[in-house]
Amino acid sequence: MKKKMTVRIAASVLALSLLAGCGQRSQQSKDTQPQKADASSGEGIVCYVGHGFWDGSLDPIKGAYAYGYAFTNNALICVAPDSSYKGDLAESWEVSPDALTYTFHLKDDIRFQDGSEFSAEDVVFTYETVMKDQGSNEDVDLTKLREVKAPDERTVVFTLREPYSPFLDTTAQLGIVPSDGYDSTAFDEKPVGTGPWKIIQYDAEQQLIVEANEDYFDGAPKIKRVTFVDMDNEAAFSNAQSGQLDIVMVQPNYVEEEIEGMHIEKLETMDVRNISLPCQPAQVMKDSSGEDVEVGNDVTADVNVRKALSIGIDREQIIADAFNGVGRPAYGFTKNLEWGNAPETSDGRADEARKLLESAGWVDTDGDGIREKDGVKCTFEVYTPSDEQDRYNLAVAVAGEAEDLGISMVVKQTSWDEIYDTSNTGGVVWGFGQYNPVVIDQLFSSEKILQGSFDNKPAYENEKTDQLIGEALQAADHGEAVSRWREAQETFAEEYPYLFVVNIEHCYFVSDRLDISMDTQIPHPHGHGIPIICNMKDWSLK
């Protein structure tokens, strides 16, 4: 979804802001020439990991770095390479039988980058500060948290208002700041944390320079200085060709290019591209503020149309056409997530899809190649952001497959503002990819219809799905919650409110001298390239 004005590399996305595309800023830095560090000496490297992300507050209190792994500020727990959680600042934790109390036991001998000692008081301060101004941090939802206490320097106790199983996921999203040294203004540019990297220089929309924290409790980074440059994609690729970059994130259409001294890496993600399909007939509904809003589409409201698209398109061909063959067919949330439960199915069943449409009354009566039913043409609009060509390419490729089924998808590139205004009545190419299963509640609960900019855009309603989501949210046992999340996916998979298409891979050219430690990379969340830094502490020069 649309980029917000803070640095968020989305494992979280509780408000789903990172699940969609990121608006491209102006190309004012297109001709920027990064200053190449002497990588061969081990001094530093220069990287391009996507444009437009280093242009807001770097303060974790305001939503920066809510991605589930440490950068400047560690959280209580973090994401492991197998997508599970492990302790970060916390050594261990337990949940009470009634799921209302979470107790974290903190590690010893950890210090902030300013030399002050880390303790439970800092955790309490961080959480209470976010609770006081929840609106300033849309990625970390603490509305279910009643209080946080520190019975001693190494113990933190959270008490919830009601059972809320995603709370554990939330604790991986909030980096801890020092209670004595926190400065809301200063931390916008130079936050102080316990993490492996210190902010040295921050020039918004130009560059971010970090240096290794030599006293990092989990071992100092091997590379001592990293400069992130912000420019457009073409300029980044050109700078890589001229030897100015050690890493450059690229779109799939670049993967067959060659850069001397660099090799391509295609990294696993949980990031899926899909198209929302309105499930309600065209009508007017009231939103959360009581305003009238147009909702629904008389074509996609027919589940037979939605199913025909899912079983009839050829995802492998679409990936070849739109993404140069980079990516994997997607039918739901990826199974590299503990709770992911994409259905076991197949596509490319065009004949079956045509028969389904015909039996549902969708017939091409005038020979123009587009089916119709009761005087309604089987056509609808699909929107993509004008600044993301890859999403447009995907929509066009899907539309080509749909045309063979007698379904007309009219692809339109436009601004995110217009997409928000029309997303209740037409399709939108979205990107989903996060560790927190609360995304299922946001996207599929009937309570979320017209409740926000991104929640349940298809206006999908199903009592069984609602029941399972409620049981998952209130589950006292983690295994029970996972089971309910997986069951919920089975129910909505039968109704196709979203057309899942591709599990993308994040592509980078990497210097041949640089080892990015593939063993400790995590499956990337949605984040347009930045998640490669998840294990930057472990990178080394060969």
Side-chain angles (χ1 to χ4, degrees):
M1 295 179 182
K2 191 175 182 181
K3 173 177 70 65
K4 292 186 277 187
M5 295 301 290
T6 51
V7 180
R8 299 183 182 120
I9 308 172
S12 55
V13 204
L14 289 177
L16 293 189
S17 60
L18 285 180
L19 294 183
C22 297
Q24 182 175 341
R25 62 177 178 81
S26 65
Q27 296 185 0
Q28 64 183 29
S29 61
K30 181 174 181 178
D31 297 325
T32 300
Q33 293 294 322
Q35 182 64 42
K36 178 70 171 179
D38 184 4
S40 62
S41 70
E43 177 187 349
I45 58 175
V46 182
C47 306
Y48 168 78
V49 291
H51 61 76
F53 278 91
W54 313 106
D55 61 356
S57 174
L58 306 183
D59 184 356
I61 295 290
K62 300 173 184 175
Y65 309 125
Y67 23 89
Y69 48 89
F71 188 55
T72 59
N73 298 73
N74 298 79
L76 289 173
I77 64 176
C78 61
V79 177
D82 65 356
S83 298
S84 66
Y85 291 117
K86 63 179 182 178
D88 198 357
L89 292 175
E91 185 71 47
S92 62
W93 62 91
E94 61 260 2
V95 183
S96 64
D98 62 4
L100 292 177
T101 304
Y102 287 68
T103 303
F104 287 81
H105 306 283
L106 306 181
K107 295 177 180 177
D108 295 323
D109 301 322
I110 296 177
R111 292 188 174 275
F112 285 98
Q113 294 154 358
D114 62 4
S116 61
E117 184 178 357
F118 162 73
S119 72
E121 179 184 352
D122 302 302
V123 179
V124 172
F125 171 82
T126 299
Y127 276 78
E128 287 186 339
T129 303
V130 174
M131 291 170 69
K132 289 175 184 176
D133 188 12
Q134 178 67 72
S136 69
N137 190 336
E138 296 180 6
D139 286 333
V140 178
D141 182 2
L142 299 182
T143 56
K144 300 293 192 299
L145 179 59
R146 173 179 293 168
E147 64 178 10
V148 52
K149 299 293 184 182
D152 58 58
E153 290 188 352
R154 290 291 172 265
T155 307
V156 180
V157 179
F158 297 94
T159 304
L160 305 187
R161 302 180 188 278
E162 60 186 68
Y164 184 66
S165 63
F167 181 73
L168 181 64
D169 305 89
T170 303
T171 63
Q173 300 170 218
L174 181 54
I176 304 303
V177 300
S179 56
D180 292 337
Y182 178 69
D183 184 316
S184 179
T185 300
F187 273 45
D188 283 336
E189 295 187 354
K190 286 193 175 182
V192 174
T194 56
W197 301 98
K198 300 179 182 180
I199 304 295
I200 300 303
Q201 183 175 341
Y202 175 45
D203 303 310
E205 299 189 358
Q206 296 182 47
Q207 66 178 356
L208 175 70
I209 303 175
V210 299
E211 287 188 353
N213 176 7
E214 296 296 338
D215 298 319
Y216 184 51
F217 67 89
D218 196 31
K222 299 172 184 177
I223 295 174
K224 302 310 176 185
R225 186 181 182 96
V226 181
T227 299
F228 298 98
V229 294
D230 194 358
M231 56 183 63
D232 65 61
N233 294 330
E234 291 183 5
F237 186 74
S238 177
N239 276 295
Q241 288 179 308
S242 62
Q244 298 300 309
L245 295 174
D246 297 284
I247 289 181
V248 58
M249 176 260 185
V250 295
Q251 297 301 318
N253 56 306
Y254 282 94
V255 297
E256 294 184 358
E257 299 289 336
E258 294 185 2
I259 299 179
E260 184 177 356
M262 304 187 82
H263 61 279
I264 196 73
E265 293 281 5
K266 294 180 284 187
L267 302 188
E268 177 188 3
T269 79
M270 60 185 64
D271 200 348
V272 292
R273 296 289 178 269
N274 57 88
I275 300 173
S276 53
L277 300 174
C279 298
Q280 304 276 358
Q283 59 188 286
V284 174
M285 298 176 65
K286 298 287 187 182
D287 66 11
S288 57
S289 62
E291 296 292 325
D292 288 341
V293 179
E294 293 185 5
V295 174
N297 183 290
D298 289 335
V299 174
T300 59
D302 188 339
V303 68
N304 296 291
V305 173
R306 304 196 302 269
K307 181 177 180 179
L309 283 168
S310 185
I311 69 173
I313 63 173
D314 185 338
R315 288 169 174 79
E316 291 280 9
Q317 186 62 52
I318 289 169
I319 294 168
D321 293 340
F323 289 162
N324 205 25
V326 177
R328 304 171 184 176
Y331 303 93
F333 292 102
T334 57
K335 293 189 176 181
N336 54 14
L337 289 164
E338 180 182 24
W339 49 266
N341 191 23
E344 297 291 342
T345 186
S346 61
D347 61 10
R349 295 138 56 191
D351 288 342
E352 182 180 343
R354 295 186 189 101
K355 290 177 181 178
L356 175 64
L357 290 167
E358 289 172 7
S359 65
W362 292 98
V363 182
D364 180 8
T365 57
D366 56 12
D368 65 351
I370 303 175
R371 298 175 185 274
E372 60 183 55
K373 178 181 180 180
D374 299 330
V376 177
K377 283 286 188 181
C378 196
T379 182
F380 62 97
E381 295 175 338
V382 174
Y383 295 89
T384 74
S386 55
D387 56 6
E388 291 195 47
Q389 188 65 30
D390 60 331
R391 297 196 191 208
Y392 176 77
N393 293 344
L394 179 65
V396 169
V398 173
E401 294 281 320
E403 184 179 5
D404 289 340
L405 306 177
I407 300 173
S408 172
M409 296 171 59
V410 181
V411 181
K412 294 188 173 182
Q413 281 186 300
T414 186
S415 67
W416 276 107
D417 288 340
E418 184 176 346
I419 288 174
Y420 299 148
D421 291 340
T422 58
S423 57
N424 296 304
T425 59
V428 176
V429 180
W430 300 107
F432 300 156
Q434 66 176 89
Y435 298 98
N436 194 331
V438 76
V439 64
I440 294 176
D441 176 43
Q442 295 169 319
L443 296 177
F444 299 97
S445 170
S446 62
E447 294 183 356
K448 296 299 191 292
I449 297 173
L450 296 181
Q451 295 301 302
S453 298
F454 315 108
D455 296 345
N456 198 347
K457 302 311 294 185
Y460 166 74
E461 292 183 288
N462 182 288
E463 290 185 6
K464 182 63 173 178
T465 302
D466 285 344
Q467 176 188 337
L468 290 166
I469 288 173
E471 292 173 357
L473 289 171
Q474 298 184 32
D477 176 75
H478 177 72
E480 180 185 353
V482 169
S483 177
R484 296 297 179 269
W485 290 126
R486 292 174 63 85
E487 287 183 61
Q489 291 166 78
E490 293 174 1
T491 60
F492 64 67
E494 298 176 354
E495 299 188 81
Y496 309 95
Y498 290 86
L499 176 62
F500 287 88
V501 183
V502 56
N503 172 205
I504 68 170
E505 295 173 303
H506 288 166
C507 303
Y508 310 83
F509 277 99
V510 179
S511 170
D512 292 339
R513 298 175 297 172
L514 180 61
D515 180 357
I516 61 171
S517 187
M518 293 296 293
D519 290 342
T520 58
Q521 281 281 332
I522 62 175
H524 288 188
H526 185 85
H528 296 257
I530 296 179
I532 193 174
I533 72 170
C534 66
N535 67 340
M536 198 167 73
K537 178 186 77 69
D538 301 327
W539 295 2
S540 62
L541 289 156
K542 301 175 184 177

